[in-house]
Amino acid sequence: MKPPVAPGARAVLGHVRPLLKDLPGLLAACAGAGPVQRLRLGPRDVYLLTEPEPVRQALALEGDALDRVREGAPGRLLGEGLLGATGPAHGTRRRMLQPAFRQELVACHADVIGPVAARLAAGWSPGRPLDMVHESVACAAEAMWSVLTGARPARMPVSDPARRILDIDRGAVEETGFLSRTPASARRRYRCAAALLRRMLVHAIDTLPPPGSSPAGLLGVLAQVRDRTTRERLSRRQVLDHALEMLVAGAVATGMTLAWAWHELGRHPYVEHRLHEEIDTRLGGRPARHEDLARLPYAGRVVTEVLRLAGAPLVGRRALREIELAGYRVPHGADVAFCPHALHRHPDLYPDPLRFDPDRWLPGRARTLPRGAFLPFGAGDHQCIGGTLGTAHATLALCTIAGAWRLRPVPEHRIRCVRSNVLRPDALPMTAEPRGPISRCAPGG
């Protein structure tokens, strides 16, 4: 039996126009419209999973009957990193990278973002308009550069790193997945940006200390890890590919989480007031550190609620054989998509789902959610390996900057989302208002 067609289909082209023009609106309409739905993209169907039960079933089939969609720009531009790997190669690469994300290393890498956020905010002026998409990605990019290279203070050797990274994100996504339509100008921008970041990383790799030395950053760890079976190290090209992937994906994902957090705080003064109280009490004006996370529970819930509402639009897989999900037949070769954006807005899972409510993540309330109901970093074997670090970076940057600044949305601005692997607005214009002496957020390194 075929699943029903998702709401909003047009004659002939199906969901092509709403997918291109208003993907969040299309996915919001799918929330609660059935566990499995079909998105019609001209002659192609995408099987959309919007409820926990088919998601759980699909997760159990990962690697056996479902694998990542592997086509288009990521392989050409970002190389053969973890994001582009499928099948057994993905499992091998992930096992090799896992030592780089041990808990003790995550704690060390998380601490770089407090000084970065402080330095960024120290350059703001009261009343000056800011695009918080650009500012947030700039902050996350500088932090990821420091994580990779061990550089302190973290400064990328390129002008406007946020624009370069956003060009790569936009261009790569436009040429991959379920629909491809990249203008020539966008292709040029992301190819130039990818080439520039590659040259920067090549220089950083060339200046790594010799094997056996204590690595200062993730690049050094990547250069020294070995396959547990063959004992082989990653090649120089593989180190470069993984590093570029981590830099771009980490900066975009963490940057968007931070940008949406500012947006929600600007719309919810009571939430902002509670966050400020916690920050002022626990931090006393200094940049936040990893050791502070346990003492900032409300900030953690704010970020988790942002991750719920700003969930990835679609996470694509391809059926390697005919399967059944929630009683519906999915043919061999069909595109299957988890839909965290719709799942996180399902009214049966999240009462009043469009309300921004950090307290829905209090332990007593959150534990009632079924498995597969919250997928902020994808799912299954391909779940984001850096999710813990990204969440820590977003929380610590939010607390560091909110200790000194309050950000106000620009009235009448209408948010328009652009195509990305994450929910990405084209811009979030806000104005900065100091909460106290700007020196409270002075650079720390």
Side-chain angles (χ1 to χ4, degrees), residues 11 68 93 105 127 137 206 227 234 284 333 394 399 439:
R68 175 175 278 149
R93 293 181 199 174
L105 288 179
V137 172
D206 287 343
D227 183 277
L234 293 172
C399 292
S439 60

Side-chain angles (χ1 to χ4, degrees), residues 364-389:
R365 294 174 62 182
R367 70 168 60 102
T368 63
L369 284 173
R371 179 176 174 265
F374 185 54
L375 304 174
F377 303 110
D381 294 340
H382 295 274
Q383 183 171 337
C384 175
I385 196 171
T388 301
L389 177 60

Side-chain angles (χ1 to χ4, degrees), residues 271-431:
V271 174
E272 181 186 60
H273 174 72
R274 286 186 61 186
L275 179 67
H276 287 165
E277 282 190 327
E278 181 175 85
I279 292 169
D280 294 345
T281 301
R282 306 291 162 76
L283 298 183
R286 62 171 172 79
R289 298 189 291 264
H290 186 268
E291 65 191 35
D292 297 315
L293 289 174
R295 303 190 305 123
L296 297 165
Y298 191 70
R301 297 200 298 275
V302 167
V303 170
T304 302
E305 182 70 342
V306 168
L307 289 170
R308 180 183 74 85
L309 286 173
L314 296 170
V315 180
R317 298 289 185 265
R318 184 156 289 157
L320 305 179
R321 58 178 171 81
E322 183 176 310
I323 57 176
E324 185 175 293
L325 296 173
Y328 294 107
R329 173 183 162 274
V330 177
H332 171 250
D335 289 321
V336 177
F338 306 100
C339 185
H341 189 86
L343 186 69
H344 295 172
R345 286 164 168 75
H346 198 294
D348 291 345
L349 300 171
Y350 300 96
D352 198 3
L354 299 183
R355 181 180 172 221
F356 187 75
D357 178 16
D359 283 341
R360 72 171 78 240
W361 298 104
L362 286 166
R365 294 174 62 182
R367 70 168 60 102
T368 63
L369 284 173
R371 179 176 174 265
F374 185 54
L375 304 174
F377 303 110
D381 294 340
H382 295 274
Q383 183 171 337
C384 175
I385 196 171
T388 301
L389 177 60
T391 301
H393 271 182
T395 307
L396 297 176
L398 181 71
C399 292
T400 296
I401 296 173
W405 292 95
R406 179 181 288 108
L407 289 152
R408 289 288 170 256
V410 171
E412 309 302 324
H413 175 74
R414 182 179 178 184
I415 294 174
R416 184 178 69 86
C417 288
V418 299
R419 293 188 71 204
S420 174
N421 286 318
V422 298
L423 190 66
R424 176 185 155 189
D426 58 344
L428 284 176
M430 305 185 82
T431 54

Side-chain angles (χ1 to χ4, degrees), residues 52-269:
E53 183 55 34
V55 169
R56 282 195 295 268
Q57 294 173 357
L59 293 181
L61 296 171
E62 282 262 278
D64 172 39
L66 287 173
D67 206 346
R68 175 175 278 149
V69 177
R70 179 72 170 90
E71 57 188 42
R76 295 194 300 271
L77 289 176
L78 301 186
E80 299 301 319
L82 194 62
L83 286 176
T86 59
H90 175 270
T92 299
R93 293 181 199 174
R94 189 179 179 95
R95 285 191 297 273
M96 291 184 73
L97 295 183
Q98 203 67 56
F101 293 90
R102 296 192 307 270
Q103 182 59 38
E104 62 271 22
L105 288 179
V106 168
C108 177
H109 297 327
D111 279 340
V112 306
I113 201 165
V116 171
R119 187 179 72 239
L120 176 83
W124 295 349
S125 302
R128 169 188 158 199
L130 299 165
D131 176 9
M132 292 312 297
V133 170
H134 185 277
E135 297 292 311
S136 299
V137 172
C139 179
E142 297 276 13
M144 279 306 301
W145 181 255
S146 180
V147 167
L148 285 166
T149 64
R152 305 290 193 276
R155 292 185 186 273
M156 289 182 69
V158 62
S159 63
D160 201 355
R163 180 175 65 82
R164 317 281 183 172
I165 284 173
L166 290 171
D167 281 346
I168 294 175
D169 173 66
R170 177 73 181 271
V173 171
E174 289 280 11
E175 277 204 359
T176 190
F178 304 123
L179 203 60
S180 303
R181 53 165 209 133
T182 312
S185 59
R187 286 198 296 271
R188 285 194 299 271
R189 285 196 303 272
Y190 75 72
R191 284 172 180 162
C192 289
L196 177 60
L197 296 191
R198 278 186 176 276
R199 289 196 297 271
M200 289 168 40
L201 287 166
V202 165
H203 177 72
I205 292 170
D206 287 343
T207 56
L208 284 174
S213 306
S214 178
L218 268 185
L219 275 176
V221 176
L222 293 176
Q224 295 187 24
V225 294
R226 294 179 182 270
D227 183 277
R228 287 187 295 186
T229 303
T230 66
R231 304 304 299 163
E232 292 181 354
R233 298 186 191 272
L234 293 172
S235 69
R236 187 172 181 275
R237 173 60 187 267
Q238 288 172 325
V239 172
L240 173 60
D241 290 346
H242 285 303
L244 180 60
E245 181 180 275
M246 290 176 185
L247 177 60
V248 174
V252 171
T254 302
M256 290 307 104
T257 302
L258 193 53
W260 284 117
W262 296 123
H263 172 71
E264 295 294 351
L265 291 175
R267 295 172 61 236
H268 298 89

